[in-house]
Amino acid sequence: MDDAWADTPPPPRRREKNRPVGRRHLADLTTSEPGDAQDDVIRRLTDRGYITEVVAELKSGKEATAYVARGPRGSVLVKLYRDLQARSFQNDQVYREGQVILDARAAKAMQKRTRKGLEMLQQDWVLSEYAHLWTLWKAGLNVPEPLAGPHPTAYAETVPAVVMRLIGTEDHVAPRLSDAALSPAQAQSAWNQSVTGLADLLRLGYAHGDYSTYNLLWSEDTVTIIDFPQLATRQNPNFQTLLARDAQSLATSFRKHGIHTDGTQVLRDVQRRALGPAPEPRVLLP
C-alpha cells in the first residue's frame, strides 16, 4: 500500500445543512402534482405499507432527499435518490470496479450511461445499499435497521427509495458527528467507536468509500454508520486505496472535536482492531 496516499486528504465534498422544513401530509402528496416523481414514490411506499405519513423533509442534497416518516413499526427515514442524471455523484466507476455483470448488453448500457443504463445503475445503487445494510445489520454493526427485505424482491419494490429505521426521534433526529457538539470525553468515545466501526467493516471485507464524521450519526452517546451504496469489497482493485482514504477522512474530520492523528496511524489501528473479536450478530426474527 502506498502510505503517501494515506497522508493525502481526499478532495472535499460540499455538504449542505438542512433542518426539517415542516409536515407534509399524505393527502398533499397523493392529490397534488401528479407528475412529480418523488410523490409517486411516496405513494407507492404508502400503498405497500412501508409508511403511513411523511412528517418532514430532513435533508435535501444533490444525490438524495431524506424524509422523516411514520410507519407500522415506528419512525422511519426515507432516503429518496434523485435520477442519476441529476445527481452530483456521477463518477461511481471507482466503486464499481471488480463487479461482475453477466448480462453483456446490460454491462455495455451501464458503461455508456445510456438512458436504460442509467436506470439500471440507479436500481443497482439502491439495491446495493439495501444488501449492504442487511449484511451489516445482521452482523451486529451499528447501522440503521433496514425496513424492507431481507429478500431482494421485497426491497426492489421501493426503488429509488431506501427505507430504514430513524436514528433518534422525530423531535430530535440524530445529528451527524460533523454537526454534534461533544465534550472531550464524548469526543474520545465517539472516536473509539468510529475507528472500531471502520475495523468492523474491514473484518467483513468492506471499505466504506466515504467514511468520515459526515456519514456517522451521534445519538445517546452512540455512533451509527450510514451511507452504504458505494461500499467496496476486496475484489475491487481500488480497495486498499479506498480503505486508506477512509482512514484519512476519519482523521481529518475529527480534528474539530480535538482528536489529532493522521491517516497512516488510523489505518494501522483499524487493521489491528480488525483482527480482534467481531460484534455479536443480530438474530433476524420472523
Side-chain angles (χ1 to χ4, degrees):
M1 181 183 301
D2 186 358
D3 286 341
W5 171 266
D7 292 326
T8 303
R13 293 179 62 189
R14 185 176 181 181
R15 313 280 180 169
E16 296 182 4
K17 296 181 180 179
N18 296 84
R19 287 187 169 185
V21 296
R23 188 177 303 275
R24 297 183 70 199
H25 291 285
L26 289 176
D28 299 328
L29 291 170
T30 56
T31 59
S32 63
E33 304 179 46
D36 188 279
Q38 288 194 346
D39 286 357
D40 289 342
V41 176
I42 295 296
R43 184 185 303 110
R44 178 154 42 89
L45 295 178
T46 306
D47 292 342
R48 285 163 172 74
Y50 291 107
I51 64 173
T52 55
E53 181 182 18
V54 173
V55 177
E57 180 182 299
L58 178 64
K59 179 180 180 294
S60 181
K62 294 182 179 179
E63 296 166 17
T65 300
Y67 296 97
V68 176
R70 296 186 183 126
R73 297 172 57 189
S75 298
V76 180
L77 181 79
V78 177
K79 183 178 180 181
L80 206 166
Y81 280 102
R82 302 186 186 281
D83 290 340
L84 215 61
Q85 291 173 310
R87 283 165 44 195
S88 62
F89 196 37
Q90 297 284 345
N91 186 17
D92 59 356
Q93 185 59 38
V94 65
Y95 307 104
R96 299 179 57 81
E97 288 188 33
Q99 292 185 4
V100 177
I101 302 175
L102 299 179
D103 188 328
R105 293 180 63 184
K108 185 176 181 179
M110 293 166 75
Q111 182 178 14
K112 290 189 173 183
R113 303 178 83 87
T114 64
R115 180 177 178 179
K116 185 64 175 177
L118 287 174
E119 291 177 0
M120 289 187 287
L121 282 169
Q122 177 80 298
Q123 183 177 48
D124 183 66
W125 199 251
V126 176
L127 298 185
S128 292
E129 177 144 27
Y130 268 123
H132 296 323
L133 262 178
W134 275 111
T135 297
L136 302 177
W137 189 82
K138 289 190 290 186
L141 275 67
N142 284 336
V143 301
E145 179 186 0
L147 296 179
H151 197 277
T153 55
Y155 54 71
E157 66 184 12
T158 75
V159 175
V162 179
V163 290
M164 63 193 84
R165 191 173 300 282
L166 181 72
I167 304 300
T169 66
E170 290 182 11
D171 294 328
H172 298 93
V173 179
R176 296 179 298 183
L177 265 175
S178 59
D179 300 325
L182 306 180
S183 69
Q186 288 176 318
Q188 191 60 52
S189 174
W191 170 255
N192 183 61
Q193 292 180 58
S194 301
V195 175
T196 296
L198 189 55
D200 290 337
L201 288 170
L202 177 58
R203 186 184 298 106
L204 294 173
Y206 288 119
H208 185 280
D210 194 14
Y211 198 81
S212 72
T213 55
Y214 292 102
N215 283 322
L216 298 169
L217 303 182
W218 180 251
S219 178
E220 297 182 347
D221 290 336
T222 300
V223 172
T224 299
I225 311 169
I226 60 171
D227 196 24
F228 303 104
Q230 74 286 331
L231 253 63
T233 66
R234 295 185 185 275
Q235 285 69 45
N236 189 317
N238 304 302
F239 181 83
Q240 296 297 337
T241 298
L242 292 170
L243 179 61
R245 189 176 73 177
D246 281 344
Q248 182 60 56
S249 296
L250 187 64
T252 300
S253 62
F254 253 92
R255 289 172 186 165
K256 68 165 289 185
H257 294 306
I259 305 294
H260 297 282
T261 184
D262 61 64
T264 301
Q265 292 177 335
V266 175
L267 181 59
R268 289 171 182 162
D269 192 9
V270 166
Q271 291 170 328
R272 177 183 59 82
R273 295 191 192 199
L275 299 175
E280 187 71 23
R282 291 184 175 94
V283 177
L284 186 62
L285 300 176

